[in-house]
Amino acid sequence: DAKTTQPPSMDCAEGRAANLPCNHSTISGNEYVYWYRQIHSQGPQYIIHGLKNNETNEMASLIITEDRKSSTLILPHATLRDTAVYYCIVRVMGGGSNYKLTFGKGTLLTVNP
Amino acid sequence: DTAVSQTPKYLVTQMGNDKSIKCEQNLGHDTMYWYKQDSKKFLKIMFSYNNKELIINETVPNRFSPKSPDKAHLNLHINSLELGDSAVYFCASSPTSRGQETQYFGPGTRLLVL
């Protein structure tokens, strides 16, 4: 699976949009971009994933650049409860017996009142 | 209505003891996983089972033995506990071992070996 690079930490004001970047310059054509987050003392939580088109769900939006070498997770109106470590993960489609999530260090997003 | 549950939530034990952590999912998923999160907060996969069959074993010491009595349960037994086994252990499940399916994580079991 391709390696990802994320900033170690970011701050965001409550009510503002939080934009979390991720670089995955070695991504392959069959690899998806996944985002998970881990709120303190809880298990990781799935947020969103995409291949090459932008995606939106009730939690966030995912913007993937045309060359697919980077992406941005957008939380449109961050709240204090969005304070968490956000993980950008790239993994193959149809992983078969090698299916697994490889977590990096992630980005600690702190939402401030 | 907990989707993925783990017991116990906390486990404090002495070195050398044998302990088990249980995991159950009520999502009807085929695949279950065990992850370990160490003190540096790195989250790494340990095992994965698909329909009671082991499909991933990530070079984990053989003191760790997963057991899946049915596809809704994946338990983790640890023999001869060592100090370095202290960590948070997360169970997860997904609809299948192939494809894009997302994983759903349990709340974690915090193991402290003294």
Side-chain angles (χ1 to χ4, degrees):
Chain A
D1 292 343
K3 182 178 177 179
T4 62
T5 303
Q6 300 177 251
S9 63
M10 293 182 66
D11 285 325
C12 177
E14 189 177 17
R16 299 281 190 170
N19 298 288
L20 292 95
C22 179
N23 285 321
H24 30 79
S25 59
T26 59
I27 192 170
S28 299
N30 64 345
E31 289 180 315
Y32 281 72
V33 179
Y34 277 78
W35 284 84
Y36 280 75
R37 74 179 181 183
Q38 187 174 23
I39 296 170
H40 181 61
S41 296
Q42 297 183 21
Q45 176 190 23
Y46 165 79
I47 302 173
I48 199 168
H49 75 280
L51 181 62
K52 54 183 179 180
N53 297 321
N54 297 337
E55 302 287 344
T56 296
N57 63 19
E58 64 278 3
M59 288 183 69
S61 294
L62 175 59
I63 308 298
I64 303 174
T65 58
E66 192 169 344
D67 63 9
R68 303 214 318 125
K69 293 184 177 182
S70 65
S71 60
T72 301
L73 178 74
I74 301 173
L75 307 179
H77 304 287
T79 69
L80 298 180
R81 288 177 295 179
D82 292 322
T83 293
V85 177
Y86 287 77
Y87 297 100
C88 170
I89 300 167
V90 173
R91 61 169 296 271
V92 296
M93 174 178 62
S97 62
N98 289 320
Y99 177 79
K100 60 185 177 183
L101 292 174
T102 301
F103 289 84
K105 297 181 181 179
T107 295
L108 173 59
L109 174 69
T110 302
V111 181
N112 300 304
Chain B
D1 276 33
T2 304
V4 181
S5 59
Q6 298 179 226
T7 54
K9 187 173 182 180
Y10 298 96
L11 183 55
V12 181
T13 188
Q14 299 288 328
M15 257 191 339
N17 285 350
D18 303 337
K19 291 293 180 183
S20 291
I21 307 172
K22 296 184 177 181
C23 178
E24 176 181 2
Q25 53 94 4
N26 61 6
L27 298 168
H29 289 167
D30 298 323
T31 306
M32 297 184 71
Y33 312 81
W34 277 110
Y35 287 82
K36 177 181 179 181
Q37 188 166 40
D38 60 24
S39 57
K40 296 182 178 179
K41 303 298 184 183
F42 287 114
L43 194 62
K44 295 182 180 178
I45 190 161
M46 300 174 68
F47 300 103
S48 177
Y49 269 73
N50 176 251
N51 280 322
K52 302 193 298 177
E53 180 182 350
L54 180 67
I55 57 172
I56 295 176
N57 183 340
E58 286 287 305
T59 320
V60 177
N62 57 16
R63 297 184 295 104
F64 291 79
S65 53
K67 286 184 173 54
S68 182
D70 55 64
K71 73 174 190 177
H73 296 84
L74 180 61
N75 303 323
L76 183 64
H77 188 76
I78 314 171
N79 289 327
S80 303
L81 278 156
E82 300 177 357
L83 295 177
D85 298 331
S86 295
V88 183
Y89 293 84
F90 289 100
C91 177
S93 72
S94 67
T96 181
S97 66
R98 299 187 298 117
Q100 321 159 28
E101 292 78 8
T102 62
Q103 295 185 18
Y104 298 81
F105 285 78
T109 295
R110 286 140 189 86
L111 171 65
L112 177 60
V113 182
L114 301 176

